[in-house]
Amino acid sequence: LHQGRRKHEEEVQEKIEYHDGKVEEVLSDGCQILTFCDGTKKEISADKRMTTISFSNGDVKKIMPDQRVIYYYADAQTTHIAYPDGLEVLKFPNNQIEKHYPDGTQEIVFPDHTVKCLYSDGLKETFFPDGTVVKVEKNGDKIVVFSDGQREIHTAQFRRREYPDGTVKTVFCNGRQETKYSTGRVQIKDEEGNLILDK
């Protein structure tokens, strides 16, 4: 942007200096550049469809022809893009990307490609690169689905592990354990781990 301005400076067709220190320049290609006394520069494209504002702190705001607003925060090295439909996207220097949808849903893509979705109804889903999916309901219940087909369910009452072969192991909040094997065998242990049923 700054290199483009330097190239245009010799093509200034009109220059107006205001009493408040503002300078307005109209370039031969129709672009307009306003320079304010605080160092802020506003560049308006010839067709008036794109505006770029460069602030003295290094921040840059662009209003695009499609009405997207792109704001770059220099100190944080973060870009915020606001779309006309209400979608907002944040891009951080560590490559983390956050999307905030108009319905309240948020999607966060972490640098390791883990994706976390926060829904407006309170459901949270996390998709890990290895294929593991974790769902946390609004009430705190959690379901973990592993890439090998195993599932874990965590509630206030129990923790249950379901294996692909049909075996189900449950540990209740009082410490009692129950294992149901795919063969139909059932094994129950009490709070201390003593076997009380095996049939």
Side-chain angles (χ1 to χ4, degrees):
L1 181 65
H2 297 293
Q3 288 171 343
R5 276 209 197 105
R6 274 189 232 110
K7 183 182 78 179
H8 288 305
E9 281 177 353
E10 52 202 305
E11 302 171 27
V12 174
Q13 288 203 319
E14 186 181 351
K15 187 173 185 176
I16 304 167
E17 294 184 18
Y18 295 91
H19 296 293
D20 62 2
K22 180 174 77 173
V23 176
E24 181 180 345
E25 296 173 308
V26 178
L27 307 180
S28 57
D29 65 0
C31 286
Q32 181 183 13
I33 298 173
L34 299 167
T35 306
F36 299 89
C37 57
D38 66 357
T40 299
K41 287 193 177 204
K42 180 177 184 179
E43 186 173 325
I44 303 167
S45 64
D47 61 6
K48 310 287 187 236
R49 295 183 67 221
M50 187 166 144
T51 303
T52 302
I53 304 167
S54 301
F55 298 94
S56 55
N57 65 357
D59 289 3
V60 178
K61 178 180 180 179
K62 289 185 179 186
I63 302 167
M64 307 300 284
D66 63 3
Q67 297 306 304
R68 279 179 301 143
V69 177
I70 302 170
Y71 196 104
Y72 176 74
Y73 296 91
D75 282 348
Q77 297 177 9
T78 300
T79 302
H80 175 254
I81 304 168
Y83 291 84
D85 65 1
L87 172 66
E88 294 187 35
V89 178
L90 292 150
K91 296 180 181 182
F92 297 92
N94 66 352
N95 292 325
Q96 178 174 315
I97 298 172
E98 290 185 15
K99 293 180 181 179
H100 300 254
Y101 294 90
D103 68 358
T105 301
Q106 292 181 38
E107 177 183 286
I108 304 163
V109 181
F110 295 94
D112 68 354
H113 303 291
T114 297
V115 178
K116 182 178 241 181
C117 296
L118 310 169
Y119 300 99
S120 53
D121 64 1
L123 174 68
K124 297 175 188 171
E125 281 186 304
T126 306
F127 303 87
F128 293 93
D130 68 357
T132 301
V133 178
V134 178
K135 292 181 185 181
V136 181
E137 300 286 343
K138 187 178 181 179
N139 66 4
D141 290 357
K142 179 163 71 169
I143 299 170
V144 182
V145 180
F146 297 94
S147 56
D148 65 1
Q150 292 185 47
R151 286 171 39 107
E152 260 188 31
I153 301 166
H154 300 203
T155 71
Q157 294 79 30
F158 63 84
R159 287 180 178 234
R160 176 176 295 143
R161 185 93 178 219
E162 299 171 355
Y163 296 88
D165 70 355
T167 300
V168 177
K169 289 187 178 184
T170 306
V171 178
F172 295 91
C173 59
N174 64 3
R176 191 175 69 108
Q177 299 175 34
E178 183 180 286
T179 306
K180 294 179 181 176
Y181 296 94
S182 56
T183 59
R185 177 179 164 208
V186 176
Q187 194 178 61
I188 299 175
K189 295 181 180 178
D190 66 15
E191 297 80 9
E192 282 84 44
N194 300 316
L195 188 65
I196 54 175
L197 177 71
D198 192 352
K199 69 174 192 170

